[in-house]
Amino acid sequence: MRQTDYDLVIIGGGPAGLTAGIYAARARMNVVLYEKAAPGGQVIVSDWIENYPGFPDGISGYELGEKMLNQAKNLGLNIEIEDVTSIQVDGEIKTVNLAKKSVTTKTVIIASGASPKKLNIGESQFMGKGVSFCATCDGPFFRDKTVVAVGGGDTAVQESIFLTKFVKKLYLIHRRGELRATKILQERAHKNDKIEIIWDSVVSGMDGLFAVENVKVKNVKTGEEKDIKAQGCFIWIGITPNTAFVGDILNMDDGGFIYTNGNMETSVPGIFAAGDVRTTPLKQIVTAVGDAAIAVMSAEHYIENLQD
Ligand SMILES: Cc1cc2nc3c(=O)[nH]c(=O)nc-3n(C[C@H](O)[C@H](O)[C@H](O)COP(=O)(O)OP(=O)(O)OC[C@H]3O[C@@H](n4cnc5c(N)ncnc54)[C@H](O)[C@@H]3O)c2cc1C
């Protein structure tokens, strides 16, 4: 086959991408990792990780991300800060397009993860003015204030508990009658005096002159709407995949998550996906890093089987 710039291009520098980088660097593959923002991915905005093995007392998300990055760098992984804008497939040759250049490669691992879902009730105008997706980044700005948090899964509950280090009061708005979060987190939330859960409810609007002053909460069963005087609104209602750059070259589900098989192979030979970007049933660090290791093994096998 024609020469390519790389054996493997990894897209995304979160846990999946960095793990793929670690495995590929150790396999001495000709590899580059492109990350459009800060390496570490969603992990670096997570306050505290206590379900990733190897850290008996837990570890801050930022520190875990930094350790993964340093491990990859120490093994010689080439990491470039670049936004991947599209991929073209010409048989066995894949072209990865960046803002100012294009590179060719035999294989691609898409590990571009996901971004927080928005409520779409007009919160965009209050971004950085009370609305946040990151307790670690913005929690200290809400010292002794009242805030609303939205969601009922692990992230919403864990990050809400973290916020109570700063805030005077936190209303956790959940659209169902019980939380989805792991039992241990539920127990901690119920015991926390600063957290009040408002069940069967959604945030229906927010207002304020220059920043959030008031959050509207609607009961989905009764339709009753009430105002909560709050200076912040933290949103943790799930994630959407970062797959806009993939276009329609791969099979994806209705939400834009990439379909793979157990070998992390996508619908296009030579393109693999790992971590939160794929249709995995559990979107966690431990699953993302496992996917990535398998994806590199599959990429190596794919290259070995290419015709000379
Ligand atoms: C607040 C919060 C708390 C969490 N707590 C936990 C926890 O306690 N335990 C746990 O196991 N999991 C937790 N998670 C989930 C965990 O962080 C994710 O499952 C994990 O980060 C997924 O890793 P990933 O590499 O697949 O994707 P991501 O971490 O999303 O990384 C993807 C990377 O790809 C980059 N990227 C995207 N598009 C492009 C592009 N076009 N070009 C180049 N780069 C691109 C992004 O900038 C990002 O850095 C938490 C998540 C959040 C948000």
Side-chain angles (χ1 to χ4, degrees):
M1 74 176 284
R2 253 168 50 213
Q3 276 297 313
T4 52
D5 298 317
Y6 295 102
D7 293 332
L8 169 63
V9 169
I10 300 167
I11 303 172
L18 291 172
T19 304
I22 288 167
Y23 275 73
R26 293 190 77 240
R28 299 282 184 257
M29 292 176 88
N30 176 17
V31 53
V32 63
L33 182 152
Y34 294 124
E35 164 57 55
K36 70 173 180 182
Q42 295 170 69
V43 169
I44 55 176
V45 302
S46 321
D47 165 48
W48 198 248
I49 310 289
E50 60 179 24
N51 57 3
Y52 188 71
F55 300 96
D57 303 317
I59 182 167
S60 88
Y62 186 83
E63 199 184 341
L64 182 59
E66 204 174 36
K67 280 183 187 292
M68 289 181 179
L69 174 63
N70 288 338
Q71 190 174 353
K73 278 183 177 168
N74 290 346
L75 289 163
L77 178 66
N78 177 15
I79 300 175
E80 294 183 21
I81 302 301
E82 295 274 2
D83 188 352
V84 172
T85 53
S86 62
I87 305 172
Q88 279 157 256
V89 180
D90 178 10
E92 290 168 349
I93 312 258
K94 281 88 196 167
T95 303
V96 175
N97 298 313
L98 312 163
K100 291 196 179 136
K101 64 176 176 182
S102 297
V103 296
T104 54
T105 179
K106 297 183 180 74
T107 60
V108 176
I109 294 179
I110 300 176
S112 49
S115 303
K117 260 191 195 155
K118 301 196 174 63
L119 292 167
N120 293 323
I121 46 90
E123 76 267 32
S124 299
Q125 61 170 312
F126 292 112
M127 279 304 303
K129 297 173 185 163
V131 170
S132 173
F133 300 94
C134 178
T136 317
C137 325
D138 298 329
F141 298 124
F142 294 89
R143 201 173 289 280
D144 298 324
K145 303 229 158 82
T146 297
V147 299
V148 161
V150 197
D154 279 352
T155 298
V157 176
Q158 170 96 48
E159 301 299 303
S160 292
I161 294 167
F162 170 70
L163 276 178
T164 60
K165 287 184 189 171
F166 308 101
V167 303
K168 184 171 68 187
K169 173 91 186 172
L170 181 143
Y171 294 96
L172 180 59
I173 316 298
H174 185 42
R175 66 194 159 120
R176 299 211 171 85
E178 60 181 290
L179 298 172
R180 270 186 297 109
T182 314
K183 287 283 180 279
I184 191 168
L185 293 176
Q186 293 193 29
E187 286 160 19
R188 286 180 198 159
H190 289 308
K191 272 195 216 143
N192 191 313
D193 292 340
K194 288 187 181 176
I195 297 180
E196 181 176 332
I197 304 177
I198 303 189
W199 302 109
D200 301 315
S201 298
V202 294
V203 167
S204 50
M206 58 184 71
D207 48 75
L209 202 50
F210 301 110
V212 174
E213 293 171 19
N214 182 56
V215 177
K216 291 188 184 306
V217 176
K218 185 177 178 182
N219 185 301
V220 290
K221 288 197 165 155
T222 64
E224 187 195 336
E225 198 168 51
K226 66 178 178 185
D227 290 330
I228 295 180
K229 297 280 164 233
Q231 293 77 49
C233 181
F234 286 80
I235 303 166
W236 293 297
I237 53 166
I239 51 176
T240 45
N242 299 322
T243 45
F245 67 91
V246 177
D248 57 5
I249 62 170
L250 300 179
N251 287 348
M252 297 188 232
D253 72 5
D254 290 343
F257 290 93
I258 300 170
Y259 284 119
T260 69
N261 62 14
N263 290 329
M264 306 303 138
E265 291 164 326
T266 67
S267 51
V268 171
I271 301 187
F272 307 84
D276 280 14
V277 76
R278 73 178 195 97
T279 56
T280 170
L282 183 65
K283 293 181 170 47
Q284 290 274 278
I285 303 162
V286 78
T287 46
V289 303
D291 285 359
I294 295 171
V296 174
M297 179 202 70
S298 299
E300 282 187 277
H301 287 174
Y302 172 85
I303 291 171
E304 280 161 19
N305 289 324
L306 285 175
Q307 300 295 325
D308 287 334

